[in-house]
Amino acid sequence: MADLYRVHGIELSPYSVKVRSYFRYKGIPHRWIPRRLDAEGEYQKYAKLPLVPLVVSAENEGIQDSTPIIERVEALYPEPSIHPADPVARFISVLLEEFGDEWGNKWMFHYRWAREVDQLSGAGRIARSMMPAADDAQLAGGIAMVRDRMVNRVSFVGSNPVTAPQIEDSFRDALAIFEPHLANRAYLFGQRPAFADFAMWGQLYNAWTDPTPGALINATSPNLLAWIHRMLWPRAEGDFEPWSSLAPTLTPLLERQVGRLFMPWTVANAAALAKGSEEFSVELAGKTWTQKPQKYHAKSLSALRGKYTALVDKSAIDEVLQKTGCLAGLR
Ligand SMILES: N[C@@H](CCC(=O)N[C@@H](CS)C(=O)NCC(=O)O)C(=O)O
């Protein structure tokens, strides 16, 4: 076992299944270890933060945070690369990786914990998976505990009675954008999965397992649903495409979701943290969004800005970012 990566996670954690899908695609020997509360030895030994996923390397080093996990492993196993060769497509994939992790999580988390039917489904599956040996009474206690804890956290991602319709509109609009984009390609950037696919998929696969967003996907999005299934065990079916052939159907995502919603949100969030504000408000597509700032997102925005700054030739990518409203947040 010690010569394998160990991926500690749970099926209902979007960041955990994101990392598992990556290991599967790359064909890197690993073991998926569903986290359970009665067998936590290795998890407790290596986890520095109380979060999943936790990856323990063959050298017994614990790594957390799905984006750096993938980046570290990708540096060791560069083939097949998850980064398109075309430099514009490559950076858009990096940008959508961040968007998937941070904005896509609002869709997933909001839908899972906003309505009773989804709360019961989510809490039931989380408690069952983490307490597989529990009797009925213990299980009922576990379900109530998970539900209470998570419902109380829904505001952390910015979900409240005012923003709920904004989050749901954003989700439905994203589905409408993905559907034609995935009509003629297996993955977001062509015939093999890119960095962005893993992040976006972790959130959308999880949303699909929940009753309310799952029913929406099933009713409206057959191409997206096929991609959700494909990404469980992704494989290269051909090459990446250049930005020129992706642009017609992917530009609307950059314009309507990244440029109009996510970028102004993440910039306002980082500014609020820098000022030490308790709460911030920002206009997103003409509607006021109010929430307490989220710390991690300022860190991941600064990492994204670092990746943008490191680009050597920015002329082609800047044109795309400028036109779609994504540039201002990156410099
Ligand atoms: N940025 C981290 C986020 C990890 C994260 O938020 N994990 C959640 C599950 S998806 C968690 O472990 N939450 C613990 C809890 O809610 O108690 C990553 O990409 O890995």
Side-chain angles (χ1 to χ4, degrees):
M1 176 148 145
D3 59 341
L4 293 174
Y5 282 92
R6 280 95 73 197
V7 183
H8 293 261
I10 74 169
E11 198 70 29
L12 271 78
S13 154
Y15 303 102
S16 299
V17 294
K18 166 191 174 186
V19 166
R20 183 184 65 186
S21 171
Y22 170 79
F23 274 91
R24 286 176 174 175
Y25 172 59
K26 299 288 288 195
I28 298 168
H30 67 283
R31 178 164 303 169
W32 167 253
I33 304 175
R35 188 173 171 205
R36 47 188 288 181
L37 296 178
D38 58 355
E40 289 239 282
E42 187 171 85
Y43 179 82
Q44 291 299 351
K45 185 166 170 198
Y46 293 103
K48 294 191 190 76
L49 303 164
L51 297 174
V52 285
L54 162 71
V55 168
V56 184
S57 72
E59 293 73 36
N60 291 323
E61 185 195 357
I63 326 170
Q64 285 182 288
D65 206 339
S66 61
T67 302
I69 290 170
I70 292 180
E71 287 170 337
R72 292 242 332 241
V73 178
E74 185 72 7
L76 296 172
Y77 297 86
E79 296 300 330
S81 175
I82 56 166
H83 300 295
D86 172 49
V88 173
R90 185 185 177 106
F91 187 75
I92 299 300
S93 163
V94 168
L95 175 62
L96 291 182
E97 198 266 348
E98 169 74 359
F99 168 78
D101 272 2
E102 313 306 345
W103 189 265
N105 185 248
K106 300 195 186 310
W107 302 330
M108 194 294 303
F109 205 84
H110 160 77
Y111 272 114
R112 179 164 291 167
W113 303 113
R115 293 174 177 83
E116 184 173 34
V117 61
D118 300 286
Q119 292 168 8
L120 292 173
S121 164
R125 285 177 292 150
I126 291 171
R128 276 189 186 84
S129 76
M130 294 184 77
M131 305 164 65
D135 63 27
D136 287 354
Q138 289 166 327
L139 192 60
I143 293 172
M145 206 184 71
V146 171
R147 183 179 177 193
D148 187 54
R149 172 184 168 80
M150 301 313 278
V151 170
N152 279 314
R153 290 174 148 218
V154 78
S155 66
F156 291 10
V157 303
S159 165
N160 58 53
V162 175
T163 59
Q166 301 178 47
I167 297 172
E168 298 192 1
D169 283 351
S170 161
F171 178 71
R172 279 190 300 264
D173 184 48
L175 295 188
I177 294 169
F178 284 129
E179 200 49 23
H181 183 68
L182 291 168
N184 298 309
R185 50 181 65 85
Y187 300 98
L188 296 176
F189 287 79
Q191 297 303 98
R192 55 178 63 202
F195 200 20
D197 286 89
F198 297 100
M200 201 73 79
W201 176 77
Q203 307 296 334
L204 288 170
Y205 163 64
N206 260 277
W208 172 70
T209 71
D210 292 329
T212 303
L216 254 167
I217 292 172
N218 290 339
T220 62
S221 305
N223 296 328
L224 183 76
L225 181 56
W227 170 82
I228 287 173
H229 291 152
R230 205 174 287 130
M231 278 296 295
L232 260 174
W233 294 94
R235 60 192 178 88
E237 298 177 22
D239 287 333
F240 287 123
E241 293 172 41
W243 177 248
S244 56
S245 72
L246 299 163
T249 46
L250 210 47
T251 302
L253 189 70
L254 297 181
E255 264 168 13
R256 305 211 301 256
Q257 294 288 323
V258 187
R260 217 175 284 166
L261 302 176
F262 174 62
M263 274 298 173
W265 176 85
T266 191
V267 167
N269 180 67
L273 278 170
K275 275 195 291 196
S277 315
E278 279 288 298
E279 199 175 76
F280 71 99
S281 287
V282 57
E283 288 289 300
L284 302 181
K287 295 195 178 111
T288 305
W289 176 292
T290 302
Q291 75 166 101
K292 289 193 170 70
Q294 289 179 263
K295 264 208 189 104
Y296 179 81
H297 300 59
K299 190 175 149 195
S300 61
L301 174 62
S302 133
L304 179 68
R305 285 176 171 156
K307 291 172 194 171
Y308 170 77
T309 305
L311 296 176
V312 180
D313 177 2
K314 297 193 177 62
S315 51
I317 184 71
D318 275 1
E319 198 187 319
V320 177
L321 295 171
Q322 176 74 48
K323 263 200 289 207
T324 53
C326 299
L327 187 57
L330 291 173
R331 34 182 201 198

